[in-house]
Amino acid sequence: VSVRFVVWCIGMILFAGFFIVSYLRCRIEFRTALPVNNAYVEQWIKERPLKRRISIKQSDRISTPLTYGILHPVILMPKKTDWKNEKQLQYVLSHEYVHICRYDTATKLVAAFALCIHWFNPFVWVMYILFNRDIELACDESVIRQFGEKSKSAYSLMLINMEATKSGLLPFCNNFSKNAIEERITAIMKTKKITIFSLVLASLIV
């Protein structure tokens, strides 16, 4: 057995262990989450039926909304959430709903798996970072397209007002965060309608 193979195995085990421990730690913390009893939230869930049952809970251990789980997705909200601000709730829940519909938690799992195998490759690290960034940008864009061009300012202000900060490393969760907040708002303001020309150009580039 070559030395390089041994080093690769050790690195893969260490990174895999890091992701597994981080995930289990988050799962233990999330068990303390309580269900949300809110008329608007209950109505919101009824209007979006999925084959997978969506749960909305609240916890005092997080400071930003996030989504976790694949078969039984859970939208976890901070306990300090302003439940009377239905407009903000609509934006946040819609953002997390896009994550659930696109199985972003599962794709993050695949990306983490690729990172563990190719931990020695700096380009894979770049891929992993940009991949997580693009997931959030794509969800922001989807919400803007859902609510229309006029929602750009309100949605951007909502991101700023939340003053979101990450609650540690959440490798398999999708969350609002202050990470690249300026870039997200810039991307929101630059969101344009998809045209046939842009689709053709993108296809040619790919």
Side-chain angles (χ1 to χ4, degrees), residues 32 41 43 51 66 71 84 86 90 99 115 128 171 196:
T32 61
V41 171
Q43 182 63 31
K51 292 182 179 180
L66 58 87
L71 298 179
K84 295 181 180 180
E86 294 185 358
Q90 188 179 35
H99 280 306
L115 184 64
Y128 183 77
I196 296 177

Side-chain angles (χ1 to χ4, degrees), residues 2 5 16-17 39-40 46 51 57 62 76 80 84 99 110 117 160-161 173 196:
S2 67
F5 179 75
Y40 176 80
K46 290 180 180 179
K51 292 182 179 180
K57 298 182 179 182
I62 63 169
L76 194 59
K80 296 181 180 180
K84 295 181 180 180
H99 280 306
V110 174
I117 294 177
I160 296 172
N161 292 334
C173 302
I196 296 177

Side-chain angles (χ1 to χ4, degrees), residues 110-132:
V110 174
F113 181 72
L115 184 64
C116 291
I117 294 177
H118 300 278
W119 60 268
F120 55 87
N121 189 337
F123 289 106
V124 176
W125 283 93
V126 174
M127 177 276 296
Y128 183 77
I129 294 171
L130 296 181
F131 173 76
N132 283 280

Side-chain angles (χ1 to χ4, degrees), residues 9-186:
C9 286
I10 293 174
M12 182 176 63
I13 292 171
L14 288 176
F15 281 107
F18 171 76
F19 280 112
I20 291 171
V21 170
S22 297
Y23 176 76
L24 293 177
R25 178 174 60 84
C26 291
R27 292 289 295 186
I28 292 173
E29 290 185 356
F30 294 162
R31 285 180 181 177
T32 61
L34 300 174
V36 175
N37 295 319
N38 180 277
Y40 176 80
V41 171
E42 292 175 359
Q43 182 63 31
W44 184 88
I45 293 177
K46 290 180 180 179
E47 293 175 354
R48 289 160 181 82
L50 275 181
K51 292 182 179 180
R52 295 174 292 157
R53 180 175 58 84
I54 300 176
S55 300
I56 300 180
K57 298 182 179 182
Q58 57 183 341
S59 173
D60 58 356
R61 301 196 178 192
I62 63 169
S63 55
T64 60
L66 58 87
T67 300
Y68 69 92
I70 299 174
L71 298 179
H72 302 289
V74 177
I75 297 176
L76 194 59
M77 304 288 290
K79 194 173 183 179
K80 296 181 180 180
T81 298
D82 182 5
W83 300 106
K84 295 181 180 180
N85 190 341
E86 294 185 358
K87 195 65 177 179
Q88 178 172 299
L89 281 176
Q90 188 179 35
Y91 286 143
V92 172
L93 294 177
S94 296
H95 179 99
E96 301 302 332
Y97 184 71
V98 174
H99 280 306
I100 293 172
C101 291
R102 294 180 176 180
Y103 290 89
D104 284 342
T105 302
T107 53
K108 280 196 171 190
L109 184 63
V110 174
F113 181 72
L115 184 64
C116 291
I117 294 177
H118 300 278
W119 60 268
F120 55 87
N121 189 337
F123 289 106
V124 176
W125 283 93
V126 174
M127 177 276 296
Y128 183 77
I129 294 171
L130 296 181
F131 173 76
N132 283 280
R133 183 206 66 172
D134 288 347
I135 281 180
E136 295 303 323
L137 292 177
C139 285
D140 290 337
E141 182 179 358
S142 179
V143 173
I144 294 301
R145 294 193 187 284
Q146 178 183 345
F147 291 99
E149 296 289 316
K150 295 181 180 179
S151 65
K152 288 182 179 180
S153 297
Y155 187 80
S156 298
L157 286 173
M158 188 260 319
L159 287 177
I160 296 172
N161 292 334
M162 287 179 67
E163 297 179 353
T165 55
K166 281 189 174 180
S167 305
L169 179 62
L170 305 175
F172 306 129
C173 302
N174 304 291
N175 65 333
F176 273 98
S177 67
K178 211 168 185 177
N179 181 33
I181 190 73
E182 182 179 353
E183 182 181 22
R184 288 178 65 181
I185 293 176
T186 301

